[in-house]
Amino acid sequence: MQEQAQVQANMVNGVDVDKLFGTIDAVKAAPVVATFRFRANNKWLGGGHNRTTITNFYGTQQEHERKEPFTLDADEPPVLLGEDNGPNPVEYALTALAACVTTSIVYHAAARGVTIHAMESRLEGDIDLQGFLGLRDDVPRGYKQIRMFVKIDADAPPEKLAEIVKLGPTYSPVFDTFTRPVPVSVELDR
Amino acid sequence: MQEQAQVQANMVNGVDVDKLFGTIDAVKAAPVVATFRFRANNKWLGGGHNRTTITNFYGTQQEHERKEPFTLDADEPPVLLGEDNGPNPVEYALTALAACVTTSIVYHAAARGVTIHAMESRLEGDIDLQGFLGLRDDVPRGYKQIRMFVKIDADAPPEKLAEIVKLGPTYSPVFDTFTRPVPVSVELDR
């Protein structure tokens, strides 16, 4: 993942595959390079409105800081007692999943030399708010089920396309975070 | 969740608690009102860059459409072979969690008549990219662990604050989505 002078980058799907394989070799030589810590800060703005700021993360044994922080507002729509100042939290969850499965397909296809020309997807997730409202403990608070449908145009015969799409759920960190029980602690910061 | 004329809204934490209890009564009378379907559309823009659009959702037995769609760009930082056009997918996942735990605390505190003056939080999540890179199958692809630290200023004695914070993980749909294995399907859209 070091910067390196290159006469000509070997790009597949907009991914520099020489750098990708360089990264893989670096991780194989020193697995600690692959240890990342991502971070977010949130500030409540009133009602269902709050703002997350993303600035820095740790990885490849060093801190990385963006020039400008990314700012993401969340709110609820009026029917959920908010003012629609941004997508709501469970819509952000779908966004994370869509982005992650897409990028996982693109990177892993690039590593296999498969060129993708275009990709789009649509997602839907079902929630029964009886869970959030605390009316029924046998109803999950979160998504009961999520479905993602991927349209892909790639240099591959039609019967291979489902295999390429499958790279997403196979390697995506967010897909894994949703489908596996992840330990999450929430504590008072005194 | 119906619009209703009100002389004076009974607001706690920016949440109209009369409407909140009205919603709870409506759901108790007809649980189908609580069935929601959230949606997202994603378009790949090249490399690690893709764009999610959030427009409409189904709930309270009808379709809801925003006046303007919300647009969210995701990308990877240079160290992960992207161009930093937006937060990366796992940072979006932290954003979803931060927003959801925050809103869950605010709404459930409001229902209990607890006034919150201010709230901020910071989150960190650990990922070992050996999983994403497919180098080790015993390393999870996603978050190994996530920690959220909440600073809260509320009308409650200090020993009650941890209890108020706990409303977040108890009721948050995204917290539940991360900590429980959720069925997620990813299929080719032909």
Side-chain angles (χ1 to χ4, degrees):
Chain A
M1 300 191 185
Q2 304 297 316
E3 293 291 323
Q4 47 185 292
Q6 296 192 145
V7 179
Q8 208 176 2
N10 180 14
M11 305 295 280
V12 180
N13 304 335
V15 178
D16 186 329
V17 289
D18 289 342
K19 279 196 184 170
L20 179 56
F21 286 117
T23 300
I24 290 169
D25 288 343
V27 169
K28 279 183 182 165
V32 70
V33 168
T35 299
F36 276 66
R37 177 168 291 172
F38 294 98
R39 303 188 187 100
N41 287 279
N42 184 280
K43 190 177 166 62
W44 175 55
L45 300 174
H49 189 196
N50 61 74
R51 182 170 292 157
T52 297
T53 310
I54 309 271
T55 312
N56 54 38
F57 62 91
Y58 174 88
T60 64
Q61 299 184 279
Q62 59 189 295
E63 286 293 326
H64 299 264
E65 186 136 1
R66 270 72 172 232
K67 279 166 229 153
E68 298 287 333
F70 298 115
T71 300
L72 301 163
D73 276 33
D75 197 358
E76 296 294 342
V79 71
L80 295 172
L81 313 183
E83 294 177 342
D84 242 347
N85 289 297
N88 82 357
V90 295
E91 291 173 323
Y92 270 110
L94 292 184
T95 301
L97 181 66
C100 197
V101 169
T102 298
T103 298
S104 300
I105 293 171
V106 168
Y107 278 43
H108 280 274
R112 285 158 181 75
V114 176
T115 297
I116 297 171
H117 300 295
M119 181 166 29
E120 287 187 18
S121 58
R122 59 188 172 88
L123 296 88
E124 50 186 42
D126 299 328
I127 296 188
D128 182 339
L129 287 184
Q130 290 182 95
F132 170 73
L133 293 171
L135 296 177
R136 276 179 60 180
D137 280 335
D138 60 335
V139 170
R141 273 72 161 116
Y143 278 115
K144 289 197 294 183
Q145 200 180 14
I146 300 173
R147 294 167 297 280
M148 178 170 177
F149 303 96
V150 182
K151 277 200 172 145
I152 190 165
D153 173 9
D155 272 348
E159 67 273 16
K160 285 273 177 192
L161 292 179
E163 231 171 84
I164 295 169
V165 167
K166 191 142 198 311
L167 294 169
T170 301
Y171 293 106
S172 160
V174 175
F175 179 90
D176 177 68
T177 298
F178 283 23
T179 56
R180 177 178 53 89
V182 171
V184 180
S185 67
V186 180
E187 310 173 21
L188 187 62
D189 196 3
R190 288 176 199 276
Chain B
M1 299 189 186
Q2 303 297 315
E3 292 293 323
Q4 47 187 291
Q6 295 192 142
V7 179
Q8 206 176 4
N10 179 14
M11 304 295 281
V12 180
N13 304 333
V15 178
D16 186 329
V17 288
D18 289 342
K19 277 196 185 169
L20 179 55
F21 286 117
T23 300
I24 290 169
D25 288 342
V27 169
K28 278 181 183 166
V32 69
V33 167
T35 299
F36 276 66
R37 177 167 292 172
F38 294 98
R39 305 187 185 101
N41 286 279
N42 184 280
K43 190 177 165 64
W44 175 56
L45 300 174
H49 188 196
N50 60 75
R51 181 169 293 155
T52 297
T53 310
I54 309 270
T55 312
N56 53 38
F57 62 92
Y58 173 87
T60 63
Q61 300 183 276
Q62 59 190 294
E63 287 292 326
H64 299 266
E65 186 136 2
R66 271 72 171 232
K67 279 166 231 152
E68 296 288 333
F70 297 116
T71 300
L72 300 163
D73 276 33
D75 197 359
E76 296 294 341
V79 71
L80 295 173
L81 314 182
E83 293 177 342
D84 241 348
N85 290 296
N88 81 358
V90 295
E91 291 173 322
Y92 270 110
L94 293 184
T95 300
L97 182 65
C100 197
V101 170
T102 298
T103 298
S104 299
I105 293 171
V106 167
Y107 277 43
H108 280 274
R112 285 158 182 74
V114 176
T115 297
I116 298 171
H117 301 295
M119 181 165 32
E120 286 186 19
S121 58
R122 58 189 173 87
L123 295 89
E124 49 187 42
D126 299 328
I127 295 188
D128 183 340
L129 286 186
Q130 290 182 95
F132 170 73
L133 293 171
L135 296 177
R136 276 179 60 180
D137 280 334
D138 60 335
V139 170
R141 271 73 161 117
Y143 278 116
K144 289 198 294 185
Q145 200 178 13
I146 300 174
R147 293 169 296 281
M148 177 169 178
F149 303 96
V150 182
K151 277 200 173 144
I152 189 165
D153 173 9
D155 272 348
E159 67 273 16
K160 285 274 178 191
L161 292 178
E163 232 171 83
I164 295 169
V165 167
K166 189 143 198 314
L167 294 169
T170 301
Y171 293 106
S172 160
V174 175
F175 178 91
D176 177 68
T177 298
F178 284 23
T179 56
R180 177 177 53 89
V182 172
V184 180
S185 66
V186 180
E187 310 172 21
L188 186 61
D189 196 2
R190 291 175 198 273

